Amino acid sequence: MVRLQPDPFLNELTNMFERTMEKGSVWVTLKHSSDKSKSQRNKMKTAGEKIEYKCLIRATDGKKNISTMVGPKDHQRFQASYAILLKARMTALKKRERKDRRKAAAGSEKKKQEGTKKQSAATKASS
């Protein structure tokens, strides 16, 4: 896995989205992490040192893996750039078909009434 700086990571992520535009997927994961091992973190805790946590961001298209670490200082800028990138590249998503709430509520009430009628008819027939 290649660890990049945040800006080259965004550029490579854009390239991944372009390569998978017609067919394929891109998976992006975010993880709260410090760049230290567990033993180093424990030593820092006992010494009273402050542990700086970062956000580990990984992306893969199944063939190529990339990652970056974003600290608290750069997080707002990175998040804004990442949001713009996602909005621009999610054009292939389909809009969800929404039902009219009144029609859906009326339809569910009819189904409940029909279900109770069937149950009462079944109990009468078995008696």
Side-chain angles (χ1 to χ4, degrees), residues 44-120:
M44 291 175 77
K45 272 186 184 178
T46 56
E49 295 178 36
K50 186 177 179 183
I51 302 171
E52 183 177 302
Y53 287 98
K54 297 179 180 182
C55 184
L56 173 64
I57 302 158
R58 298 178 186 144
T60 183
D61 61 356
K63 297 176 184 172
K64 187 171 184 178
N65 299 324
I66 58 173
S67 66
T68 189
M69 292 283 280
V70 179
K73 294 176 185 173
D74 299 330
H75 186 264
Q76 292 292 334
R77 185 184 59 79
F78 180 84
Q79 193 68 26
S81 300
Y82 178 65
I84 291 169
L85 173 70
L86 287 181
K87 287 177 187 176
R89 297 297 170 189
M90 290 197 179
T91 56
L93 295 176
K94 296 178 184 175
K95 278 213 166 200
R96 191 175 91 189
E97 292 181 21
R98 297 182 180 223
K99 297 178 183 176
D100 187 20
R101 289 185 182 176
R102 287 177 236 131
K103 289 180 182 177
S108 64
E109 287 178 15
K110 287 181 183 177
K111 287 180 183 177
K112 286 181 184 177
Q113 290 174 356
E114 289 174 5
T116 56
K117 287 179 184 177
K118 287 179 183 177
Q119 287 177 353
S120 62

Side-chain angles (χ1 to χ4, degrees), residues 6-54:
D7 290 331
F9 175 83
L10 290 171
N11 292 337
E12 188 60 37
L13 187 60
T14 304
N15 292 340
M16 275 188 182
F17 278 122
E18 289 174 359
R19 282 194 304 264
T20 59
M21 186 70 76
E22 293 297 320
K23 186 176 180 183
S25 299
V26 176
W27 294 272
V28 180
T29 58
L30 291 91
K31 181 179 178 182
H32 176 81
S33 174
S34 72
D35 213 12
K36 311 278 186 215
S37 68
K38 190 172 184 178
S39 62
Q40 287 177 330
R41 286 193 309 263
N42 288 338
K43 287 178 185 176
M44 291 175 77
K45 272 186 184 178
T46 56
E49 295 178 36
K50 186 177 179 183
I51 302 171
E52 183 177 302
Y53 287 98
K54 297 179 180 182

